[in-house]
Amino acid sequence: MGNDFIKMNQGINNWKRYLFSFILFLLFLFLGSVGYLFALAAYAAADGNPDSYFDIEGMVGVNVDPVYDFVFSNLTYVFWFLGLFLFMRLIHKRKFKTLVTPKEKIDWKRVLWGFGLFFSLVAGTSLIDFLLNPGDYSFNQIKAQDFIKLFLFVLILTPIQTTAEEVLFRGYLMQWFGRKVNNKILLSVIVGLIFASLHFGNPEMNYSAFFVGSDYILSGVLWCYITARTNSAELTIGAHAANNMFIGWFLTMDHSAFGKLPSLFVINDIDPRTSLFWSFVSLSLFSYFAIKKFGKNDHFSTPGRTALK
């Protein structure tokens, strides 16, 4: 077996199979979205709240408990996992874990290392920002049981959501495009921009399309580059989970992809430029330490004969 994550030589990976599996993946993505809308509509009709309902025209739940909206939206990623698992086994004839690492087993210590470091960086930069701008934050007026419920759902579901995105972008798409693109930086930019563009529809873009969009691009490109340099998606799986779990537990704000969750703190004044600066600090430090500890300096290898079937 080869040990190059991007130039994967396990299984059958020609462009026709990638195209076929990608088309089928879009079907699973659609099924997940439909499942989310049906679950949300059913919940709005049965939650006992006379003010909640499902807006068919807007395809959104109105006055629905944001925690359960969060739950239903994250369950859609189960369809991502199911689709990618089936496509790897049936179309590409390789194991699902090859979307995470080329090695025999996933190195969970790497995943936890990425999680711990990035969680610490996000927490540290958030604390500094709070000390510099205390008026931008306030305690959320929530019930303890609501936060406990949120805490458990974030703990269970957010890693599913973030890992699904990582195996799709840092695994599947980087391996697909990496068959033709031999430069790590160029490959990271291409896939990173695709990752960012699919987040441009998030409500946060209303604060500033340029600065928020730049934030998505920065994280997308750097996480792809870390994956290419460290020969696996293990570190970014941990980092992505850390980022979203920290936000889910501690920070809520209006007009965000997370919705008005009962997180511990509310951000009252959003400055997209400041947010981009702290993201740059966190992502730069994470990239430096990750590549220094786990990075490989070799160039991409040529795919083996098995991959060219």
Side-chain angles (χ1 to χ4, degrees):
M1 290 185 179
N3 61 357
D4 194 312
F5 180 63
I6 303 299
K7 298 293 188 182
M8 179 60 61
N9 65 1
Q10 302 177 40
I12 308 174
N13 304 301
N14 59 56
W15 71 270
K16 291 182 180 178
R17 294 193 178 237
Y18 268 114
L19 182 60
F20 181 48
S21 61
F22 182 71
I23 292 172
L24 290 178
F25 174 77
L26 294 179
L27 174 61
F28 274 75
L29 190 153
F30 172 76
L31 291 175
S33 299
V34 171
Y36 159 64
L37 294 176
F38 270 106
L40 187 60
Y43 178 81
D47 65 355
N49 181 0
D51 296 323
S52 66
Y53 63 94
F54 182 74
D55 182 355
I56 297 178
E57 291 186 2
M59 304 297 281
V60 295
V62 179
N63 296 322
V64 172
D65 185 334
V67 173
Y68 287 102
D69 192 348
F70 169 83
V71 170
F72 300 140
S73 65
N74 277 274
L75 288 176
T76 62
Y77 294 96
V78 174
F79 285 84
W80 290 36
F81 270 115
L82 179 60
L84 289 168
F85 176 82
L86 292 175
F87 307 152
M88 286 300 105
R89 300 298 293 177
L90 301 178
I91 299 176
H92 294 278
K93 306 296 182 181
R94 55 186 169 104
K95 296 179 180 179
F96 178 79
K97 63 91 182 171
T98 58
L99 295 177
V100 178
T101 178
K103 298 179 180 179
E104 285 295 330
K105 296 181 179 180
I106 295 174
D107 188 344
W108 292 105
K109 289 183 179 179
R110 277 198 183 197
V111 176
L112 292 175
W113 188 92
F115 179 92
L117 177 58
F118 204 76
F119 194 93
S120 300
L121 289 170
V122 174
T125 53
S126 297
L127 177 60
I128 294 172
D129 188 60
F130 168 74
L131 295 174
L132 294 174
N133 306 286
D136 292 349
Y137 299 82
S138 63
F139 281 106
N140 201 2
Q141 302 299 315
I142 56 175
K143 298 178 181 178
Q145 59 266 33
D146 289 336
F147 176 75
I148 294 173
K149 181 171 62 176
L150 171 68
F151 182 91
L152 293 175
F153 281 134
V154 168
L155 181 66
I156 297 169
L157 296 176
T158 297
I160 295 176
Q161 175 251 316
T162 55
T163 303
E165 290 191 5
E166 288 304 305
V167 295
L168 174 64
F169 293 102
R170 256 60 73 176
Y172 179 85
L173 288 182
M174 285 196 73
Q175 290 173 354
W176 185 3
F177 286 92
R179 294 185 56 76
K180 295 296 183 181
V181 180
N182 294 313
N183 183 282
K184 289 181 172 70
I185 296 177
L186 178 60
L187 177 63
S188 301
V189 170
I190 292 172
V191 180
L193 286 175
I194 295 173
F195 170 83
S197 66
L198 295 182
H199 290 74
F200 288 165
N202 285 2
E204 292 93 335
M205 292 290 286
N206 293 324
Y207 291 112
S208 170
F210 176 79
F211 289 108
V212 176
S214 298
D215 201 331
Y216 289 135
I217 292 172
L218 180 66
S219 59
V221 172
L222 286 181
W223 280 343
C224 285
Y225 186 65
I226 291 169
T227 297
R229 287 293 304 274
T230 61
N231 202 43
S232 82
E234 292 156 334
L235 296 175
T236 58
I237 285 174
H240 199 165
N243 182 77
N244 288 24
M245 291 171 75
F246 180 87
I247 294 173
W249 284 333
F250 296 106
L251 302 176
T252 187
M253 56 186 174
D254 292 328
H255 307 298
S256 74
F258 282 84
K260 195 67 174 179
L261 293 175
S263 309
L264 285 181
F265 298 94
V266 177
I267 303 179
N268 304 310
D269 185 19
I270 307 297
D271 186 346
R273 291 169 295 185
T274 301
S275 297
L276 176 60
F277 170 76
W278 288 123
S279 292
F280 175 80
V281 172
S282 298
L283 289 163
S284 298
L285 289 174
F286 182 78
S287 300
Y288 172 78
F289 288 115
I291 293 173
K292 182 178 181 180
K293 184 174 179 63
F294 300 104
K296 292 177 61 178
N297 293 318
D298 57 319
H299 297 289
F300 286 150
S301 60
T302 301
R305 184 179 299 274
T306 307
L308 298 178
K309 291 182 180 178

